[in-house]
Every structure is written in structure tokens, then in C-alpha cells.
Amino acid sequence: MNRSLDASAGVLDVDLDLPLPTVTGGAIEVRCLLRRGSVPVGVIDLTVPAAGLDPDTLDAAVRPERWTAADRDILDPDAAGLTVAIATRDRPEALGRALASVRASAAPPARIVVVDNAPSDDASARLVASLAATDPRIVYVREDRPGLARAHNAALPHVTTPHVAFTDDDVVVDPWWTARLEAAFAAADDVACVTGLIFPAELRTPEQWWIERAAGFAKGFERRIVDPAVEAGRDPLFPYAAGTYGSGANMAFATDALRALGGFDDALGAGSGSLGGDDLAAIHAVLAAGHRLVYEPAAIVFHHHHRDYDALRRQVYGYGAGLTAYLTSLVVARPVTALHMVRRAAGGARHALAPSSPRNSRRPSTHRELARVERAGMLSGPWRYVRTYRRLAGAGR
């Protein structure tokens, strides 16, 4: 019997090891994730006509023979050594969706910690309580001080497993996500961080397409083992361009290593005065300490990008502010870092600002204002961080 996939959300997830489906839901442009079993092998953009695509037409478009996988499904998936931490704030519906996906994992994690960050009501608490009544793995933590880094740090005392994965309430995790994260820690010696592929959950609006093309959430389809001893001689921006190795919606750490590094910087993160950068700082800390990082594309989460322009504008401003706030945090923690950065300043400026840089060349020509918005955020990041840091230091935190 022929399967059918609905393209109306603007995304498709196609397993090339199965008979190709009929695609309905046109006319629409879609981004198609191609897999071999649980392993992603590539992505293509398709235009689905109003009449849809039959399997033969889809076969001609994706050309399955072009795509091979380096490995296949894990035969005995295991995530008993993994805790999943989800930070949330006033989005119980999204949280319920995220929790359902984690609980449906092929390899169930040992524990799921939900951190309710500065909530305005008890809706998320009631949701988690109802689920925890039948699933003892679920732990509810309330952190009244706003900020994503604070929420992540609030989860750490409840982690008793060797590894901890962090994701957000606006994602749906792939069934193989936990197993792939856990397996990646064994890919090399001294792996202290694993990041994975972030794919859009929907692309219904121009704003969602813009952030998908511009943000670079996907870091490719080959596993990458980042060894600081090698990378330092290869990349002149190492280890400062931490965003090239992963993003906060899909990252996991060796618990002891993360604790030894001090956890997350409370003066960073969405919801703080710095507006972002906590994930960059944590990834940087791992690499600067000499630990290895693994980018595992088969560890997939599906992210719900903002649909409207105002939300996108705020997000882009926050990305800019978070980037320079994170860099400022390195100097505040270790002032001699400023000298190291100066030697890389020209390359860093080109990476961040030049239209032809790998970071910026993929950005769509629409929404031109957003480049100015991001630069404004970058200019605000240093004073935002210093102000937030001083406020926390004055409060003894």
C-alpha cells in the first residue's frame, strides 16, 4: 500500500530505505530531510505542485542512489546513562509536545528534568505533575529567576547520570535522538560535549524560511569529532566561533565535566539581560579545557521557528547581543583572553559582518533590515553582559 506524506507544513521527512510516498499538500515549497533509516544523509528543497508528487516523480527529484549512509540504526539503543533537561516558560502546550516526543524515544532516558523558569502561572507545573503521576522519571523544578542559563543550572543538581542533554520546549525530538547522543560519547576519548542536527518542524511563513536559511542550525550530515589539539591549528577562530559546533536546542554534556567547568554562566542566556550566549559559552568552555566535542547529525531535533516578523526581529537582535555578550564573558573571566582575541579580530569581524562570509552568504535577500538589527544587538552585547554580571555579583551570585 502506497504511503502518503502531507507537505502543507513546508517540511518532509523521507526514509529512502522505504518505498517512496505520494506527497500531497501543494502547491508549496518544501525542505525535505532525506534519511537511510535513522541516519540523515542530506536535504533538498522541492516545489510540490497543487496535484502533489507521485512516488516516481519524487524518486526522480531525490534520486535515492545519490545518497548513502555511513552507518545504520543502532541495533540495541540505550540511553540509561542520559538525563534530558527541558527549560520552559509559559508554554504548556509546546512543553507537552516536547515531553511526548522524549517519552516516545526508542531509548528512554533515565530521567527527564523540566525546569519551569519564572512562570506567570501554574499551567506547566500542573501538566508535569499529571505526567509524573504515571512516569516517575519526570522531575519538576521551579527556578524563579529568569534566564536560560539559570534554568540549565537549576537542572544540574537533579542529574545523577553520566550525561545530560539540554533541549527547549519548542522542539520535537527524533525517536533516535537519545540513543544517538549517548552513542556519540563513545565515539572518541574524552568527549565532553555532543551536539546534533536541528531541522525545522515547519516552514509555513517567509520568516521561518529566513531563519532556517540564515541561522545555520544544521552543521552537515557527517559526524565530526572536534579535537582541540587539531582544530587550533586548522581554524584561526578556534575556539571562539563556538556556534559552528552546535546550538543550545540540541546539546549534551558529560555531567562531571560540565560541573567541573562551573556549569552555565548565569549572566548569559535568553531571558537574562544578555539575551543569549549561554550555549556558546558552555561549548567554548569544553573546547578551551581541551575536551573533545562530537557533532552527531543522527541526533535530530525538530525546531518550531518563529512564524511572524516581530518575533523573528527580536530573535535576531538577541542572537547578536548573545554573541558579543558571550565573547565579553570570556574577557571578564580571564582578561588576558582579550590579547588572544585581538590577534583574531580581523578574521572574526569578517566572519560576523562580511556579506561574503560563510556565516552571511547563505542569508536570503529578503528582510534586509535584519542585518542592521543583528549588528545593533552585537553593539549592545558587551554592556548588556557587564551590567548583568555586575548585578549578579552585587547580589552574591
Side-chain angles (χ1 to χ4, degrees):
M1 182 176 178
N2 178 243
R3 297 183 304 125
S4 177
L5 288 180
D6 182 4
S8 60
V11 294
L12 292 173
D13 186 352
V14 175
D15 187 348
L16 299 177
D17 285 348
L18 300 175
L20 291 180
T22 296
V23 178
T24 63
I28 191 173
E29 183 182 5
V30 301
R31 177 151 288 187
C32 182
L33 178 66
L34 303 175
R35 309 197 201 205
R36 294 285 186 183
S38 69
V39 182
V41 293
V43 62
I44 61 171
D45 292 340
L46 299 172
T47 298
V48 178
L53 295 172
D54 60 43
D56 290 339
T57 306
L58 181 60
D59 182 276
V62 302
R63 294 175 57 196
E65 69 276 4
R66 293 175 51 207
W67 308 96
T68 59
D71 58 8
R72 281 290 194 265
D73 295 342
I74 300 174
L75 295 179
D76 297 307
D78 181 16
L82 184 71
T83 293
V84 174
I86 304 173
T88 188
R89 186 178 191 182
D90 292 342
R91 294 196 289 201
E93 183 178 346
L95 174 63
R97 182 179 60 206
L99 282 169
S101 68
V102 173
R103 297 175 72 202
S105 297
R111 178 172 284 188
I112 305 168
V113 179
V114 177
V115 182
D116 204 359
N117 189 210
S120 63
D121 57 38
D122 65 349
S124 294
R126 287 187 284 106
L127 168 67
V128 175
S130 67
L131 296 174
T134 57
D135 189 343
R137 296 174 303 158
I138 300 176
V139 176
Y140 175 84
V141 178
R142 177 167 174 146
E143 171 53 71
D144 286 323
R145 298 172 301 164
L148 190 55
R150 286 167 166 164
H152 288 164
N153 284 330
L156 282 177
H158 303 274
V159 178
T160 59
T161 52
H163 306 131
V164 54
F166 295 93
T167 192
D168 299 331
D169 61 6
D170 56 359
V171 309
V172 170
V173 308
D174 185 74
W176 291 89
W177 179 63
T178 53
R180 289 293 181 177
L181 288 177
E182 186 73 351
F185 279 102
D189 293 333
D190 193 25
V191 175
C193 181
V194 176
T195 63
L197 176 67
I198 300 175
F199 197 77
E202 62 174 25
L203 292 171
R204 298 180 186 271
T205 69
E207 288 74 22
Q208 289 178 316
W209 274 102
W210 192 96
I211 196 64
E212 174 59 21
R213 287 171 170 149
F217 290 129
K219 313 299 180 185
F221 295 92
E222 293 185 7
R223 176 188 288 171
R224 182 182 179 191
I225 299 174
V226 180
D227 184 340
V230 175
E231 202 71 11
R234 176 187 301 160
D235 182 356
L237 296 181
F238 180 86
Y240 302 115
T244 62
Y245 306 113
S247 301
N250 191 358
M251 60 183 183
F253 296 89
T255 307
D256 288 345
L258 181 60
R259 286 178 174 145
L261 293 168
F264 295 87
D265 185 341
D266 278 351
L268 293 170
S272 74
S274 297
L275 304 182
D278 62 312
D279 53 344
L280 303 179
I283 291 171
H284 170 274
V286 164
L287 296 172
H291 301 296
R292 288 185 172 93
L293 175 149
V294 175
Y295 168 68
E296 175 52 81
I300 309 169
V301 303
F302 298 90
H303 183 263
H304 286 80
H305 302 339
H306 291 303
R307 291 181 177 181
D308 64 274
Y309 183 73
D310 287 344
L312 174 60
R313 194 178 188 279
R314 290 191 296 271
Q315 181 181 20
V316 170
Y317 183 90
Y319 281 169
L323 171 61
T324 53
Y326 139 67
L327 294 173
T328 304
S329 75
L330 304 182
V331 177
V332 170
R334 191 168 180 263
V336 72
T337 302
L339 298 176
H340 199 243
M341 286 184 178
V342 166
R343 293 195 292 269
R344 290 159 172 76
R350 286 194 299 271
H351 175 76
L353 301 174
S356 60
S357 73
R359 177 180 181 273
N360 295 324
S361 60
R362 60 177 176 255
R363 298 193 169 194
S365 59
T366 59
H367 302 324
R368 293 183 184 276
E369 181 208 17
L370 293 176
R372 296 191 298 273
V373 169
E374 183 183 46
R375 287 194 291 270
M378 289 179 180
L379 289 172
S380 77
W383 70 261
R384 283 180 172 277
Y385 179 79
V386 171
R387 183 182 63 179
T388 306
Y389 177 85
R390 285 177 172 171
R391 185 170 67 247
L392 293 177
R397 299 195 295 271

